[in-house]
Structure formats: structure tokens, C-alpha cells
């Protein structure tokens, strides 16, 4: 199968979804009002509530949700063949992810910029709200652990990516100061910053002294590290500590100082990166060597496919970003269509190229099946296969292999870091909300809540569990991330459906994807909790079983409560601003 043809079909489907379906949702279902005073204007504090240009906000939102997950999930899911992965990405993006991301953004905007967890109190009751907040808290904690683990491993594997990534931080601070203090435009400075980053990437690829390789500094893999650890383990520990210090600072600064300008740079980086990969696809004109479908014995595609590809099809974490940070920065309500739905489409485009990069990497079907011999192998090699496959596509533009590999790894790290510090900021909000709920004033303080978030995240990712030994907490939790993420998406869709029903709107476009996502995910989680993670007794399975069982019970409880609220239909609008 020709990869270019598949890419064209995919892009057309996603473009039509945005052009027509999102317009229908915006005008007929949500009925956006360009004159509505958004929370960014109602509560403008210059820190979290900041009216933001829709293109800048789209950049923040897109890069916050487009972490490593829309790359990793599809790169693993091609284990069942490229066609099932492709269909779920395309249909999931158009009919599920776009509606979910768009819906949670509008719901939050119409409720003072509150998170979906807090809004659950108004929609389905106090008890459901607390349970929902705990599910969200567990999910963002896992996000922090998973993405910190991914970034640290990429820094160790590709040390040439470290310098360009860290150069971005002072550049973003400079841009933030220039834009918000001197009223400069953000576009040109952010493009200059991107050029500086890529020049640094080229130089670091060519000159070893510019590569920050902690393992090499300690004498190589055979050397001796700190605290009785190997050099790799020591390097991992150091990177985790550096990342935790960084996210503490980044998540407490006003959004205009670092988060917005850095995300705007990353939005350009994503466009440039996708442009390189899709142009590389055009020039190399590769053939898909992966099988269309792949019959396997160890892990059947249903229902596991629908949680393996979470980000890139539908992701509950997106609802947290929509209602946690993006809703507080939306300048006009009509901007929500671009920020929410188009953000989901952008992630679908990223997931599409991830599928094609991996599906065209191998010289033959036999080589693919040799690498993807089991689901465990797919999990272990998926991200690395994407980096190699994407570098192969970039070579079609005459970009040397070492430079292409560095640029691809920078893109992955930048997006993962953006997701990480947005997630820590969201976790701070949730901890503060729980502190308010349980009358613990200390937790309502910004720096106390952030400290709790950072310390717990560091402890989880550094758990000496699993096949990789020290510091594999993020790796161990990855199987649970997808299920928890999809459950959160389903519950968020259910909240949007209840809200629409109370307003007398058509909620079927929200309810249909909700039933599909909730059904497949509950089946998958039940199978994992009962048949895979219990009764074995290993430390890894104990960790997964405890987290999984708690999330499963909470999700069932919340869903039953929400369905009960949906059936009552008492006609009471929770929308105090009476839209429509």
C-alpha cells in the first residue's frame, strides 16, 4: 500500500471533520456567542486568567495535549496492523476527540473557567465531584510519572537533544517579557527562537562536546554512578530531579512568562516537524511494509486497541487542559471551535504520521513481524521505532540521519515537557480544590499544593519497580494510563451530555461517542484488573492492581450517578448565564 495515498485520505477526512462537523457542533449544539464575556475577561488576574489571542492559545492547547502519547500509542497499536490503528485515529478524532475537547472547553467557559471535576458538583452532585477529582488526581499523577520517565530516557538515549530543549526556556521567557511588557508581537520572536533551537540541534548533532551526556561523563555504561546505582540509573535520577525543579518553577509562574510563549514556539515546531515528515513522505514515496491487519494470540485488538491509542483518537487528559488552563485564557467564546476541535484534529494529524512512520520503517512484512513479535515488544520498541521511522522520512529531504534523529527527539521531548508542566499546574489546581473541600487551608496555597504535586510525582516515577529496575515507575504505569485516560474522557462526555440536556439541547452527538468509549474502556479495565494484575503478586502488578481497582470502582460509581441525573431531566439549568 502506498503511504502517500493513505496520508491524503487521512488528511481529507480530518479536514472535512473540522470544516463541517465542528461547524455543526458549534452552531447547532453549543450555540457559541461571540459577545459572551469569557472567564479570561471576568477574572483577569495576569497569572492564570489571561485573555489570549486564539492562535497563541491554540499553540498552547495543541502542544499541551500533543505530548508523546499520540506518537507512542499509534506506534504500539500498529501491532494489530496499520488499518485498525488508522480507522480509530480518524473516526475517533472527528466524532469523539473533537467533540470531547471542544465540549469540555465550552462547558468550562460557561462555568467560570472551572475544571470538569468541580463542575461535576453542579451537574451530578457533591459525592460524584469528590470521586471525579480523585480520579483526575490519580490520572495527572500518572501523566507526570509517565512523561518524566519518557523525557529522562530520551535525554539519555539522545544527548544531542538536551541543549536545544534547554535553550528554549530562556528564549520563551524573553518572548513572554517582550510580548506582555513591551506589547511586541509574538510571531517573529518565536520563529527566531525556533531557528536558534534548530541551529543548536545541528551543532549538537555534529559536535560531541555540545551533547550533555551524563552517562558518558561518568565513564560510560560500565562506569560507577552515585548511591550504588549504575551510571544509567544515576543519569536517570539526575534528570528526574532537574525536571521536577523545572516543572515546579514553570507551573507556578504566570502563564505569560513561560507557558504561553514556550507553547507558541512548540506549535511552530510541531508545524515544522509535521511539514518535514509529510514532505519527507512525499519525496521518499515509501511503501507500507506493515500488515494491513495482524492476527495475534497474546493480546486481541478488542478492546485493547481503543485504550492503546488514547491521545490521537480521544483523551480524557485533553478535557483537563481544556477546562483547567485553556478555558481561563479564551478571549472569545467563538475561538473555542478552533482551540478545542482543531487542537484535536492537529493531534490526529500527528498520530497519522506516527502510524505511517512506523509502518514504512521496515523493509518487509517479515521484518515488521520480527520486531512486533508480541505486545510486550511493541510496548518496548514503539517510541524508538517512531524516532527511527521519522528520521528515515526526514532523510528524504536530504537531512543527515544524525540531525534528523536529533530534531525528531527534540520534538518529542518538547511536547512531553509541555504536557508535563501543564499537568503539574493542573494537579496543583486539583490539590487546592481538595484542600478547600476538606478544609485544609495549607493545601490551598500555591506553593504547598505544587510541592505536594512535584514530590508525589517524583516518588512515583522513581519507584524501583518493573523490568527496567530503578526509576521505571512511569514504564510500569503505562498500561493503566490508557484505561484511566479513556474513562476520564467518557465521564467528561457524560457531564457535557447532562449539561446539554439541562439546556434542552440535542446531546446525541455527545452521548454516542460516550457510550462507545465508556463501554470499550470498562471492558478493557475489567480484564486487566481481574485477569492480568491480580493474583500474581509481583510488585509491578500490585501497583497496577491497586491503582486500577480504585479507578474502576470510582468510574462505575460516577457513571451510575451521572446516568441517574441524565434520566431525571428535571429541567433545571446549571448554566447561570442562560446561553442560547
Amino acid at each position: 500500500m502506498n503511504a502517500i495515498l493513505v496520508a491524503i485520505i487521512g488528511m481529507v477526512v480530518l479536514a472535512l471533520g473540522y470544516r463541517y462537523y465542528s461547524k455543526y457542533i458549534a452552531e447547532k449544539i453549543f450555540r457559541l456567542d461571540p459577545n459572551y464575556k469569557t472567564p479570561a475577561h471576568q477574572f483577569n488576574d495576569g497569572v492564570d486568567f489571561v485573555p489570549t489571542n486564539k492562535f497563541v492559545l491554540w499553540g498552547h492547547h495543541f502542544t499541551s495535549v500533543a505530548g508523546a502519547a499520540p506518537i507512542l500509542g499509534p506506534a504500539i497499536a500498529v501491532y494489530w496492523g496499520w488499518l485498525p490503528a488508522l480507522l480509530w485515529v480518524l473516526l475517533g478524532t472527528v466524532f469523539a476527540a473533537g467533540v470531547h475537547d471542544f465540549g469540555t472547553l465550552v462547558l468550562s467557559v460557561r462555568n467560570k473557567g472551572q475544571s470538569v471535576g468541580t463542575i461535576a458538583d453542579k451537574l451530578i452532585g457533591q459525592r460524584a465531584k469528590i470521586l471525579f477529582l480523585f480520579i483526575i488526581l490519580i490520572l495527572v499523577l500518572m501523566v507526570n510519572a509517565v512523561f518524566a520517565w519518557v523525557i529522562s530516557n530520551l535525554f539519555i538515549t539522545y544527548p544531542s537533544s538536551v541543549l536545544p530543549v534547554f535553550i528554549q526556556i530562556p528564549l520563551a521567557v524573553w518572548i513572554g517579557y517582550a510580548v506582555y511588557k513591551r506589547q511586541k508581537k509574538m510571531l517573529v520572536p518565536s520563529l527566531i527562537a525556533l531557528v536558534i533551537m534548530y541551529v543548536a540541534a545541528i551543532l549538537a548533532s555534529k559536535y560531541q562536546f555540545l551533547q550533555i551526556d551524563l552517562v558518558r561523563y561518568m565513564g560510560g555504561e560500565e562506569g560507577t554512578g552515585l548511591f550504588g546505582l549504575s551510571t544509567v540509573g544515576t543519569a536517570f535520577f539526575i534528570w528526574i530531579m532537574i525536571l521536577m525543579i523545572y516543572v515546579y518553577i514553570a507551573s507556578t509562574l504566570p502563564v505569560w512568562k513561560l507557558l504561553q510563549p514556550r507553547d507558541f514556539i512548540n506549535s511552530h515546531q510541531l508545524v515544522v516537524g509535521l511539514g518535514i515528515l509529510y514532505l519527507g513522505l512525499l519525496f521518499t514515496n515509501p511503501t507500507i511494509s506493515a500488515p494491513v491487519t495482524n492476527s495475534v494470540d497474546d493480546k486481541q485488538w478488542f478492546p485493547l486497541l481503543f485504550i492503546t491509542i488514547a491521545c490521537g483518537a480521544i483523551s480524557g487528559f485533553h478535557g483537563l487542559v481544556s477546562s483547567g488552563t485553556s478555558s481561563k485564557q479564551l478571549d472569545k467564546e467563538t475561538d473555542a471551535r478552533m482551540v478545542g476541535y482543531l487542537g484535536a484534529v492537529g493531534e490526529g494529524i500527528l498520530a497519522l504520521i506516527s502510524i505511517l512512520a512506523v509502518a514504512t520503517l521496515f523493509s518487509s512484512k517479515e521484518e515488521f513481524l520480527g520486531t512486533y513479535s508480541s505486545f510486550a515488544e511493541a510496548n518496548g520498541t514503539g517510541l524508538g521505532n517512531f524516532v527511527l521511522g521519522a528520521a528515515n522520512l526526514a532523510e528524504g529531504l536530504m537531512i543527515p540521519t544524525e540531525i534528523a534523529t536529533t530534531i525528531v527527539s527534540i520534538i518529542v521531548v518538547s511536547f512531553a515537557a509541555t504536557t508535563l508542566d501543564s499537568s503539574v499546574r493542573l494537579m496543583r489546581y486539583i490539590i487546592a480544590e481538595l484542600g478547600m473541600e476538606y478544609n485544609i487551608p495549607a493545601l490551598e496555597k500555591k506553593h504547598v499544593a505544587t510541592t505536594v504535586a512535584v514530590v508525589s510525582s517524583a516518588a512515583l516515577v522513581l519507584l524501583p519497580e518493573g523490568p527496567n529496575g530503578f526509576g521505571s515507575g512511569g514504564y510500569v504505569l503505562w498500561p493503566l494510563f490508557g484505561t484511566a485516560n479513556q474513562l476520564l474522557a467518557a465521564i467528561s462526555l457524560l457531564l457535557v451530555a447532562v449539561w446539554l440536556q439541562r439546556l434542552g439541547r440535542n446531546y446525541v452527538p455527545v452521548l454516542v461517542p460516550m457510550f462507545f468509549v465508556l463501554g470499550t474502556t470498562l471492558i478493557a479495565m475489567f480484564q486487566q484488573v481481574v485477569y492480568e494484575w491480580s493474583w500474581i503478586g509481583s510488585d509491578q502488578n500490585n501497583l497496577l492492581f491497586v491503582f486500577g481497582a480504585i479507578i474502576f470502582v470510582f468510574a462505575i460509581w460516577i457513571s451510575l450517578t451521572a446516568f441517574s441525573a441524565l434520566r431525571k431531566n428535571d429541567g433545571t439549568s446549571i448554566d447561570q448565564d442562560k446561553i442560547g
Side-chain angles (χ1 to χ4, degrees):
M1 185 70 177
N2 184 273
I4 294 177
L5 178 60
V6 174
I8 291 173
I9 293 172
M11 297 287 277
V12 168
V13 170
L14 295 174
L16 291 175
Y18 179 69
R19 173 64 181 84
Y20 294 104
Y21 194 60
S22 73
K23 184 179 180 181
Y24 165 75
I25 297 294
E27 295 179 355
K28 303 298 183 181
I29 307 299
F30 297 144
R31 304 179 192 176
L32 303 183
D33 181 1
N35 298 316
Y36 178 76
K37 190 175 182 180
T38 63
H41 291 283
Q42 293 179 48
F43 312 109
N44 189 348
D45 61 4
V47 179
D48 295 317
F49 291 87
V50 179
T52 304
N53 176 278
K54 64 181 179 180
F55 296 102
V56 175
L57 182 56
W58 178 83
H60 153 69
H61 181 84
F62 187 13
T63 52
S64 292
V65 300
I71 294 171
L72 181 56
I76 295 171
V78 291
Y79 172 64
W80 294 290
W82 62 266
L83 183 59
L86 177 72
L87 290 175
W88 175 226
V89 164
L90 297 181
L91 297 178
T93 296
V94 172
F95 296 107
V99 176
H100 169 270
D101 298 10
F102 190 6
T104 50
L105 179 56
V106 175
L107 177 63
S108 179
V109 166
R110 283 290 173 166
N111 285 274
K112 302 178 181 179
Q114 294 174 329
S115 71
V116 286
T118 301
I119 296 170
D121 186 7
K122 298 179 181 180
L123 291 168
I124 55 178
Q126 176 75 6
R127 182 178 298 171
K129 168 197 170 182
I130 300 302
L131 295 175
F132 198 27
L133 284 176
F134 274 111
I135 286 183
I136 295 171
L137 188 65
I138 293 172
L139 177 63
V140 294
L141 182 60
M142 287 192 295
V143 168
N144 297 342
V146 168
F147 283 91
W149 181 83
V150 166
I151 295 168
S152 298
N153 275 281
L154 286 172
F155 278 163
I156 293 171
T157 306
Y158 305 104
S160 57
S161 67
V162 177
L163 180 62
V165 168
F166 277 89
I167 280 178
Q168 186 187 45
I169 297 172
L171 290 173
V173 173
W174 164 68
I175 292 172
Y177 178 80
V179 170
Y180 289 95
K181 292 297 185 181
R182 296 190 173 184
Q183 304 301 312
K184 303 291 185 181
K185 298 294 184 181
M186 189 178 286
L187 179 60
V188 173
S190 61
L191 290 174
I192 293 172
L194 186 64
V195 170
I196 293 173
M197 283 181 63
Y198 281 4
V199 168
I202 294 170
L203 294 175
S205 300
K206 289 183 171 294
Y207 301 105
Q208 193 178 63
F209 73 92
L210 293 176
Q211 299 175 8
I212 303 177
D213 189 346
L214 299 184
V215 175
R216 177 167 55 86
Y217 295 160
M218 291 181 285
E221 294 187 9
E222 302 302 320
T224 302
L226 304 174
F227 315 118
L229 299 171
S230 66
T231 52
V232 174
T234 302
F236 187 90
F237 176 81
I238 292 172
W239 281 128
I240 290 295
M241 292 298 101
I242 292 173
L243 284 172
M244 291 299 113
I245 293 170
Y246 162 73
V247 296
Y248 184 99
I249 297 170
S251 62
T252 54
L253 286 175
V255 291
W256 62 266
K257 281 190 177 179
L258 177 60
L259 185 135
Q260 284 183 352
R262 185 214 51 214
D263 290 354
F264 199 54
I265 296 170
N266 283 341
S267 69
H268 297 319
Q269 188 174 190
L270 181 57
V271 172
V272 170
L274 288 175
I276 289 173
L277 296 181
Y278 278 102
L279 283 175
L281 187 73
L282 182 64
F283 281 96
T284 56
N285 191 22
T287 299
I288 296 177
S289 55
V292 177
T293 59
N294 184 26
S295 299
V296 296
D297 296 325
D298 63 330
K299 296 279 187 179
Q300 296 301 314
W301 71 273
F302 184 88
L304 201 55
L305 170 68
F306 303 105
I307 61 172
T308 301
I309 302 180
C311 301
I314 182 172
S315 164
F317 181 75
H318 295 194
L320 300 184
V321 175
S322 290
S323 66
T325 60
S326 298
S327 65
K328 296 175 176 64
Q329 301 171 59
L330 198 72
D331 184 33
K332 295 181 180 180
E333 189 175 70
T334 47
D335 294 346
R337 179 188 173 201
M338 175 181 175
V339 174
Y341 199 101
L342 189 59
V345 168
E347 187 160 78
I349 293 172
L350 179 59
L352 173 61
I353 197 62
S354 177
I355 293 171
L356 294 176
V358 175
T360 58
L361 172 63
F362 304 94
S363 59
S364 65
K365 178 180 176 180
E366 290 69 29
E367 185 181 350
F368 172 90
L369 294 175
T371 301
Y372 283 80
S373 57
S374 67
F375 189 70
E377 286 296 318
N379 269 284
T381 62
L383 187 59
N385 288 334
F386 168 78
V387 173
L388 294 175
N392 281 349
L393 295 179
E395 287 180 37
L397 299 180
M398 309 302 292
I399 300 175
T401 301
E402 66 274 11
I403 295 175
T405 302
T406 297
I407 290 175
V408 172
S409 61
I410 289 169
I411 292 173
V412 176
V413 168
S414 296
F415 297 157
T418 298
T419 302
L420 179 62
D421 55 17
S422 293
S423 179
V424 172
R425 184 179 289 262
L426 291 169
M427 192 172 178
R428 186 242 295 176
Y429 294 157
I430 296 164
I431 291 170
E433 286 184 36
L434 290 172
M436 187 181 302
E437 189 67 38
Y438 289 103
N439 195 25
I440 308 175
L443 292 181
E444 298 178 40
K445 298 182 183 299
K446 179 170 68 174
H447 289 285
V448 174
T450 306
T451 299
V452 173
V454 169
V455 171
S456 58
S457 301
L460 187 56
V461 75
L462 290 172
L463 283 174
E465 305 278 355
N468 288 359
F470 173 78
S472 58
Y475 176 87
V476 170
L477 289 170
W478 178 255
L480 183 58
F481 170 77
T483 50
N485 199 26
Q486 301 302 72
L487 281 176
L488 180 60
I491 296 169
S492 297
L493 282 171
L494 188 51
L495 291 177
V496 176
V498 173
W499 175 67
L500 289 171
Q501 186 204 48
R502 301 265 178 98
L503 295 174
R505 306 279 175 78
N506 176 16
Y507 55 91
V508 172
V510 177
L511 210 58
V512 170
M514 184 280 299
F515 273 119
F516 180 80
V517 175
L518 183 63
T520 54
T521 308
L522 284 176
I523 293 171
M525 179 165 265
F526 180 80
Q527 290 177 347
Q528 289 177 311
V529 170
V530 174
Y531 296 109
E532 295 182 31
W533 300 334
S534 60
W535 317 118
I536 298 177
S538 70
D539 291 337
Q540 174 179 343
N541 281 281
N542 289 339
L543 183 67
L544 289 170
F545 176 78
V546 171
F547 272 84
I550 292 172
I551 292 172
F552 183 77
V553 172
F554 282 7
I556 293 289
W557 195 341
I558 295 169
S559 298
L560 291 176
T561 305
F563 280 124
S564 176
L566 197 63
R567 287 198 305 270
K568 287 179 181 177
N569 189 19
D570 60 9
T572 303
S573 172
I574 50 79
D575 185 359
Q576 301 301 318
D577 297 287
K578 302 184 184 303
I579 64 172

